[in-house]
Amino acid sequence: MADYFTPDPIWSSFQVKKQEDYIKKYVIKGNFHSGVHEDVIKSFKTVEYLMAHAYYHWELYDQVLVKLLSIFEMAVKLRSKSLNNPLEYQDRRGKTQTKTLVKLIDELKLFGYPPELIRDLHWLRLLRNMEAHPDRHSFAGAMKKRAVIPGLNIINRLFVDPSILTAQNENNTALL
């Protein structure tokens, strides 16, 4: 039987000498504001565990991003529902169709979400598409950490009142 609790030797290349170092450097805690849907918060716990267990198997870190992108899609749908934006529509033949993620993201504009957030949501969507439809078997491991933090922040912003985001963007623009 394989030993599932032997640290992956690749971490030594990243100057990780012990598990505590790894946890401090590579496990991102899900800090969410009170407006974020509880299903998003609960689902992110799995992301934290995947990050923690990647200490034993480098390739698990790739699944961190896959799970985060799944949570992102769920978050867009949950936020759309909370805004009373239906997830389905009737086509010309009267048949019920599910809206695409592109459409749901674009429709957030109708609820006052600023273009900056819409752009960031589309960036996550494109990342999701690349992860969902890989063209080869490869691993990036902890290199994907660079996408996890912005992804987490974008999901948090999705559940902020659009007027606050707009004011924040206007303030940032004025400061620049």
Side-chain angles (χ1 to χ4, degrees), residues 32 36 39-41 43-44 47 64-80 100-102 104-106 108 117-129 147-148 150-159:
F32 296 96
V36 176
D39 286 351
V40 170
I41 297 167
S43 293
F44 193 81
V47 172
V64 167
L65 187 57
V66 171
K67 180 64 177 168
L68 177 72
L69 295 170
S70 170
I71 293 168
F72 150 70
E73 184 170 355
M74 175 182 61
V76 169
K77 290 177 180 179
L78 289 168
R79 187 61 177 144
S80 293
T100 62
L101 189 56
V102 170
L104 289 172
I105 292 170
D106 285 342
L108 289 170
L117 179 62
I118 302 302
R119 177 201 63 217
D120 292 347
L121 291 167
H122 279 301
W123 172 76
L124 271 181
R125 180 186 57 79
L126 291 172
L127 201 54
R128 174 198 157 277
N129 289 347
V148 174
L152 177 60
N153 290 335
I154 292 167
I155 291 169
N156 257 315
R157 287 174 33 222
L158 178 62
F159 289 92

Side-chain angles (χ1 to χ4, degrees), residues 50-151:
L50 284 167
M51 284 184 272
H53 289 283
Y55 178 68
Y56 302 107
H57 186 66
W58 160 266
E59 289 87 352
L60 269 177
Y61 218 101
D62 283 39
Q63 295 308 305
V64 167
L65 187 57
V66 171
K67 180 64 177 168
L68 177 72
L69 295 170
S70 170
I71 293 168
F72 150 70
E73 184 170 355
M74 175 182 61
V76 169
K77 290 177 180 179
L78 289 168
R79 187 61 177 144
S80 293
K81 280 186 199 176
S82 73
L83 294 167
N84 293 317
N85 185 23
L87 303 181
E88 297 175 333
Y89 68 98
Q90 299 291 320
D91 67 12
R92 286 181 260 198
R93 297 177 308 236
K95 193 174 176 187
T96 301
Q97 301 286 332
T98 302
K99 289 181 185 176
T100 62
L101 189 56
V102 170
K103 182 131 179 84
L104 289 172
I105 292 170
D106 285 342
E107 287 177 348
L108 289 170
K109 293 177 204 171
L110 303 173
F111 296 92
Y113 280 94
E116 294 82 3
L117 179 62
I118 302 302
R119 177 201 63 217
D120 292 347
L121 291 167
H122 279 301
W123 172 76
L124 271 181
R125 180 186 57 79
L126 291 172
L127 201 54
R128 174 198 157 277
N129 289 347
M130 288 187 323
E131 290 294 324
H133 308 289
D135 57 3
R136 61 190 167 92
H137 179 72
S138 63
F139 293 106
M143 306 302 184
K144 292 196 175 182
K145 178 183 176 191
R146 301 189 83 183
V148 174
I149 294 172

